[in-house]
Amino acid sequence: MLRTAPALFLLLALLAAALCFAQQGTAPLPGSPADLVKQGEKLNSEGKQDEALALYEKALNQSPTLYEAHLDAGIALDLKGDYTQAREHFNHALSLATPDTKQQAQRAMAMSYAFEGKADEAARLEQQVFDGRLAKSDFDGAAGTANELARIYLESGNPDQAYKWYKLGYETALRKPGLSDADKNLWLFRWEHAQARIAARHGSAAEAQQRVAAAKAALEKANNPEQARFYPYLTGYVAFYTGDYKAAIADLQKADQNDPLILALLGEACEKSGDKTQATEYYRKARASNAHNPTNAFARPLVRKKLAASGGM
């Protein structure tokens, strides 16, 4: 018996490890709250918010304190335009969040306010995320949060607050120890990119073009091909807000055609150019996005109004 004990212990350890691995990789039991949430997420991504909400409600009837069900219900309600009800679920999610999921819930609530253009309310939550990341010396994460809030302010029509937060994001990113020259130039590209858009929103065409040139120079020094797709968005954005709609259309058509805000800008540029048919097509494409992020927070309410006004729903 003494001779076989080590082998027995090894066998038991292997069986325990296999069981743990199997449990981690096992799909939720059919009909369980976790399974209902998973099904709801798929439906929500397909634009079937009402069907998704029915499953989230069913999951919450079984498990009222399920964090994921409250979070996802809030997202689906935001996409429907039911912001007050959405934030009831986000408040529940915040109360149920673990330390690992708290920032996720805070950002989701911030996006809910962004959908209504309430940047100051969003800022209260984004500030908490920023402070939390900065406290852990997560300079990249904190800088990204600052830029996210800056974009919310910019698209809410407050370029001055946007400037403040974009500047803070840039300065925070540079605090990261050992930052390479390429990364420094990448953050400089983002900072010049932001300043060009802010200048355009102020109607300062000359300054905007100077910043566009500076952004291009920084992008070339960064030598980051993945970031190149953000350049035509920049030039198209500047062209749109400085009244050159033909150039805006040409440049925005080269930008990310899966970005709902770019599609919404294309729709507006076409509409201002007199092409209402093409504008409606772009609005419909933008409406197909079910993302819960700053781009869709501003695109979705806009295209909903545009399509309702034109009868293109």
Side-chain angles (χ1 to χ4, degrees):
M1 290 294 295
L2 289 175
R3 290 180 180 178
T4 59
L8 178 60
F9 287 145
L10 177 60
L11 178 61
L12 290 173
L14 290 171
L15 287 172
L19 178 61
C20 179
F21 180 81
Q23 288 174 339
Q24 289 175 351
T26 299
L29 292 174
S32 68
D35 180 55
L36 293 170
V37 168
K38 186 176 180 180
Q39 291 181 53
E41 289 173 345
K42 182 176 184 298
L43 290 168
N44 187 58
S45 70
E46 296 169 352
K48 301 173 182 176
Q49 275 76 48
D50 287 331
E51 294 176 45
L53 284 164
L55 291 179
Y56 299 145
E57 183 179 1
K58 190 174 180 180
L60 287 168
N61 284 337
Q62 296 183 40
S63 181
T65 59
L66 185 60
Y67 165 82
E68 292 81 4
H70 282 295
L71 185 79
D72 288 348
I75 290 171
L77 287 161
D78 269 345
L79 293 172
K80 284 192 65 180
D82 297 336
Y83 309 122
T84 300
Q85 191 176 352
R87 287 195 284 274
E88 291 178 8
H89 281 284
F90 287 137
N91 274 319
H92 282 300
L94 277 167
S95 69
L96 296 166
T98 65
D100 288 339
T101 59
K102 187 175 182 179
Q103 289 186 359
Q104 179 190 38
Q106 288 169 329
R107 289 181 65 202
M109 176 80 92
M111 284 307 110
S112 184
Y113 284 118
F115 270 85
E116 282 195 281
K118 295 181 176 179
D120 288 337
E121 286 85 346
R124 176 175 53 83
L125 293 139
E126 294 277 16
Q127 178 80 62
Q128 294 174 42
V129 177
F130 176 84
D131 291 343
R133 290 177 173 180
L134 199 60
K136 294 183 177 181
S137 296
D138 178 7
F139 298 113
D140 273 344
T145 301
N147 281 10
E148 181 173 83
L149 177 54
R151 192 169 194 187
I152 291 171
Y153 268 120
L154 182 61
E155 302 307 331
S156 297
N158 192 336
D160 293 334
Q161 279 294 322
Y163 179 89
K164 169 189 169 183
W165 280 96
Y166 273 126
K167 185 173 185 289
L168 181 60
Y170 176 60
E171 292 171 345
T172 301
L174 295 185
R175 292 176 60 185
K176 182 179 179 179
L179 202 64
S180 68
D181 287 341
D183 284 339
K184 288 177 183 177
N185 279 300
L186 175 57
W187 279 103
L188 179 59
F189 166 66
R190 291 168 175 162
W191 174 222
E192 295 292 355
H193 194 296
Q195 290 181 91
R197 285 179 285 125
I198 290 168
R201 293 299 288 261
H202 276 306
S204 304
E207 182 186 350
Q209 289 303 329
Q210 289 174 359
R211 295 297 183 182
V212 167
K216 184 178 181 182
L219 179 61
E220 289 171 352
K221 290 180 181 178
N223 192 26
N224 190 326
E226 291 183 3
Q227 296 294 314
R229 63 193 177 94
F230 294 107
Y231 184 72
Y233 160 60
L234 169 61
T235 56
Y237 190 102
V238 167
F240 177 82
Y241 280 105
T242 54
D244 189 348
Y245 303 120
K246 182 178 179 181
I249 293 169
D251 288 347
L252 290 171
Q253 285 175 336
K254 300 172 188 174
D256 185 357
Q257 299 301 289
N258 292 315
D259 186 317
L261 188 57
I262 289 172
L263 293 170
L265 283 173
L266 271 166
E268 287 191 288
C270 288
E271 186 176 350
K272 289 180 180 294
S273 299
D275 191 345
K276 292 186 178 181
T277 300
Q278 187 61 59
T280 299
E281 183 62 26
Y282 279 122
Y283 292 146
R284 285 174 176 163
K285 287 181 180 179
R287 186 183 59 185
S289 173
N290 292 289
H292 196 254
N293 59 22
T295 60
N296 209 27
F298 294 98
R300 196 174 183 91
L302 171 67
V303 300
R304 183 183 287 123
K305 292 177 183 176
K306 291 287 188 180
L307 290 170
S310 67
M313 296 297 286

